[in-house]
Amino acid sequence: MTAMTTSPDWWRDAVIYQIYPRSFADADGDGIGDLPGVVSRLLHLAELGVDAIWVSPFYVSPQHDGGYDVADYRAVDPVFGTLGDADRLIEAAHAHGLRIIVDLVPNHTSWDHPWFQAALHLGPDSPERACYLFRDGHGPDGAEPPNNWQSVFGGPAWTRVTEPDGRLGAWYLHMYDTSQPDLDWSSPVVRAEFESILRFWLDRGVDGFRVDVAHGLVKAPGLPDWEADPEARTRPPMWDQDGVHEIYRAWRTVLDEYDHHPILVAEAWVEPPERLMRYLRPDEMHQAFNFEFMFTPWDAARLRSSIDRVRTASASVGSVPTWVLSNHDVVRHTTRLVMPPAASHVRGIGPNDPQPDEAHGLRRGRAATLLMLSLPGGAYLYQGEELGLPEHTTLPDETRQDPTFGRTLGQILGRDGCRVPMPWEELAPAYGFSSTSNSWLPQPPAWAHYAADIQQAVDGSTLEMYRRAIALRAAHGMGAGELTWIESPAEGLLAFRNADITVVVNTGTEAVETSDLGAVLLASGPVDVATSGHIALLPADTTVWTT
Ligand code: GLC
């Protein structure tokens, strides 16, 4: 257990672990993870060696989108515990040497939020309507939505309300589920409220905020219709509008009033990297997830150019890259990297789809992890990846909870497959996730083999590989290092120096001769190490760190 650094730049090379609290650890036995459950497993994270945790939303919510539909930003949902439990978690995380980042959901509230309820029940003239994007419909009787925007979760992005007098009235915008009305960020009331929410959690000691849908808060004036046109390369009127930046500048001044160096990290699905970097100008956010790297196929040349683009773009604003391979919204990388690109990554994988080769996925996933953890900059891990968990690809439809599944009538399966509760103990009920056998999504029986307890202290296990990688990365200063490419004669090989370590990744399908590599410090898979400590052959889908 290490103490937290006091450096204002702590985040620049930090390894941060995402906790999806519904699925991490369930202390009260109802089958849904909770904050006391998180506290009970902090030792696992301290031993893993991460610097911080990011906890997905645990606020009061009707849970139509796993808590990303917040009804009270200053209270904990009873399913997760109490505000006292949140305070205990913050304190316990710090006692374990871990900073704690919480999720902030500013693009929309839940429809249960008191503002939205007032906007519905007090009618068109209520001040609360001005906090949301209510508009009259088009056509006779306003029966057509105000524009043609589609929800990210499928179907129209507008829902019509029944006014207090019983007549059909205005429509409200929701870029996500109907239960998630978008806020109107031109409202000073909305701005003041979120600055107050930031202070509420900063005063409780949190070390930062992961900002949900950070590219979505401001919409183009007039909410114009939009036809996606890949050729025109115009920016959609609902995303990445220039007006978002002044919001983050204002938040940054709030954060900078606190002397424990809290950070903002953007979830911004923005392309190209040059646009994303605008969120990271010195007076805005600290980090932004590099989703481009996440979705780069397993191909040496493409990985190299993706890494270079992000490094160059980050440097242009004096920032550093933030690497990530998995989170609660995408197919886990151990599965994704061996599936055909695109479709399955956003659609999810079901029992009627071609199934991934699990062993191959684990091999490639581990190699990708050792690549990610060897890169300079910050890195985010998603719970369970340190156990090598694959996506659950055979969930029965009736167990699915992602709103996408219902809104697309099953056309898009959604994200439940990456949200299945953690296996902690091979032989315990619910593999130790819950004190009972309850689990809000069913765990596949094969997950017994991934349980944390049977990987503990086992040479070559995925858990031990992650621990060792994080420890070596820290000991050799790789997070704060400089990357220098090594030109490689063999196709499919990616090779570079960082700090005093040489990293070689074989993305090809054949083993490659590597006679001039140094002594092996860490390998993502089995390699034949001669008595000299060197290897002669680097197998396919393998990464090695050598000195
Ligand atoms: C973000 C979250 C995702 C959520 C959506 C709407 O993309 O990561 O889980 O569904 O925002 O809040």
Side-chain angles (χ1 to χ4, degrees):
M1 207 174 297
T2 48
M4 296 189 296
T5 70
T6 51
S7 163
D9 286 337
W10 65 268
W11 50 273
R12 284 182 171 257
D13 59 354
V15 179
I16 302 180
Y17 182 101
Q18 180 190 357
I19 293 178
Y20 192 69
R22 294 179 84 70
S23 304
F24 191 64
D26 170 26
D28 67 7
D30 65 354
I32 301 178
D34 44 41
L35 299 186
V38 176
V39 172
S40 75
R41 296 285 182 186
L42 285 176
L43 189 59
H44 169 82
L45 303 176
E47 288 177 352
L48 187 58
V50 299
D51 301 290
I53 55 176
W54 146 36
V55 190
S56 281
F58 47 77
Y59 317 108
V60 170
S61 161
Q63 307 289 335
H64 291 303
D65 182 24
Y68 281 94
D69 48 328
V70 181
D72 184 346
Y73 290 83
R74 297 182 184 80
V76 173
D77 197 280
V79 89
F80 296 121
T82 63
L83 193 56
D85 291 326
D87 287 338
R88 276 184 285 280
L89 171 58
I90 296 165
E91 198 186 322
H94 288 162
H96 281 81
L98 301 166
R99 285 191 162 82
I100 172 167
I101 292 172
V102 295
D103 221 304
L104 186 73
V105 189
N107 180 67
H108 43 264
T109 69
S110 160
W111 62 11
D112 283 0
H113 191 283
W115 283 356
F116 194 72
Q117 286 300 309
L120 287 184
H121 295 121
L122 302 179
D125 298 327
S126 66
E128 287 81 1
R129 283 247 169 151
C131 296
Y132 295 92
L133 290 158
F134 280 85
R135 295 289 183 275
D136 290 332
H138 289 314
D141 305 322
E144 300 294 324
N147 69 25
N148 68 352
W149 296 3
Q150 296 292 299
S151 151
V152 174
F153 292 163
W158 295 91
T159 293
R160 196 173 192 187
V161 301
T162 303
E163 300 294 1
D165 64 7
R167 281 186 291 195
L168 280 174
W171 300 69
Y172 66 89
L173 179 71
H174 51 87
M175 289 311 303
Y176 294 87
D177 190 43
T178 318
S179 64
Q180 295 167 298
D182 278 48
L183 288 163
D184 184 346
W185 274 86
S186 67
S187 155
V189 177
V190 170
R191 292 191 184 220
E193 171 66 354
F194 273 85
E195 287 178 23
S196 154
I197 293 165
L198 290 176
R199 289 182 202 282
F200 177 86
W201 288 103
L202 289 166
D203 289 343
R204 305 194 98 79
V206 305
D207 300 286
F209 302 89
R210 176 265 189 187
V211 180
D212 190 63
V213 195
H215 57 314
L217 276 51
V218 173
K219 279 78 179 172
L223 311 181
D225 277 347
W226 163 250
E227 302 295 343
D229 174 5
E231 293 306 308
R233 292 214 160 267
T234 48
R235 211 157 329 113
M238 62 292 264
W239 307 125
D240 194 29
Q241 300 296 303
D242 289 343
V244 292
H245 296 285
E246 69 179 79
I247 299 171
Y248 302 132
R249 289 195 191 101
W251 291 7
R252 180 63 180 258
T253 62
V254 173
L255 264 72
D256 284 350
E257 288 169 24
Y258 289 79
D259 58 13
H260 62 290
H261 313 304
I263 64 162
L264 294 167
V265 49
E267 186 222 19
W269 296 87
V270 169
E271 283 182 323
E274 293 69 29
R275 274 305 287 187
L276 183 62
M277 292 311 142
R278 293 161 59 88
Y279 293 75
L280 300 183
R281 288 174 290 194
D283 57 349
E284 295 192 41
M285 302 213 188
H286 301 77
Q287 297 183 314
F289 298 107
N290 273 307
F291 294 127
E292 184 190 297
F293 173 74
M294 177 187 253
F295 286 123
T296 301
W298 186 240
D299 171 86
R302 294 184 65 176
L303 286 164
R304 176 170 169 168
S305 75
S306 163
I307 291 167
D308 270 345
R309 280 181 76 183
V310 171
R311 286 170 64 228
T312 309
S314 307
S316 72
V317 288
S319 191
V320 289
T322 299
W323 310 106
V324 60
L325 286 168
S326 282
N327 67 27
H328 66 294
D329 288 330
V330 300
V331 170
R332 283 183 178 276
H333 71 274
T334 38
T335 299
R336 195 178 68 230
L337 287 169
V338 288
M339 294 296 282
S344 65
H345 302 170
V346 284
R347 189 184 161 270
I349 302 167
N352 300 326
D353 295 317
Q355 294 295 303
D357 176 335
E358 199 167 314
H360 188 198
L362 183 57
R363 189 162 73 242
R364 197 172 269 183
R366 287 171 50 132
T369 296
L370 283 199
L371 165 62
M372 177 175 85
L373 288 176
S374 69
L375 295 170
Y380 278 77
L381 307 178
Y382 175 51
Q383 68 181 38
E385 68 168 88
E386 78 280 23
L387 305 179
L389 288 186
E391 185 85 356
H392 189 342
T393 55
T394 54
L395 272 175
D397 282 353
E398 60 277 14
T399 64
R400 293 192 182 276
Q401 314 234 357
D402 186 340
T404 311
F405 183 72
R407 287 185 66 86
T408 62
L409 305 175
Q411 292 301 302
I412 297 181
L413 298 172
R415 302 160 293 176
D416 294 307
C418 65
R419 298 176 175 178
V420 174
M422 289 275 285
W424 293 100
E425 294 157 40
E426 182 192 18
L427 301 174
Y431 308 122
F433 161 65
S434 173
S435 51
T436 63
S437 57
N438 294 332
S439 171
W440 71 280
L441 283 173
Q443 300 160 297
W447 279 23
H449 310 304
Y450 290 95
D453 65 342
I454 55 167
Q455 298 198 37
Q456 181 86 16
V458 174
D459 214 21
S461 72
T462 304
L463 178 58
E464 291 304 331
M465 183 197 84
Y466 269 78
R467 283 183 181 161
R468 184 137 167 80
I470 294 167
L472 283 172
R473 176 187 150 91
H476 290 257
M478 296 171 89
E482 273 298 322
L483 183 155
T484 315
W485 295 108
I486 301 171
E487 294 311 324
S488 160
E491 210 182 307
L493 274 200
L494 195 64
F496 56 88
R497 290 282 290 174
N498 177 12
D500 57 349
I501 293 191
T502 301
V503 178
V504 188
V505 187
N506 184 359
T507 65
T509 50
E510 306 287 337
V512 175
E513 276 186 43
T514 52
S515 44
D516 51 358
L517 278 185
V520 175
L521 280 177
L522 185 60
S524 67
V527 287
D528 279 332
V529 181
T531 38
S532 60
H534 294 226
I535 56 172
L537 268 188
L538 182 61
D541 293 319
T542 304
T543 299
V544 283
W545 294 6
T546 69
T547 51

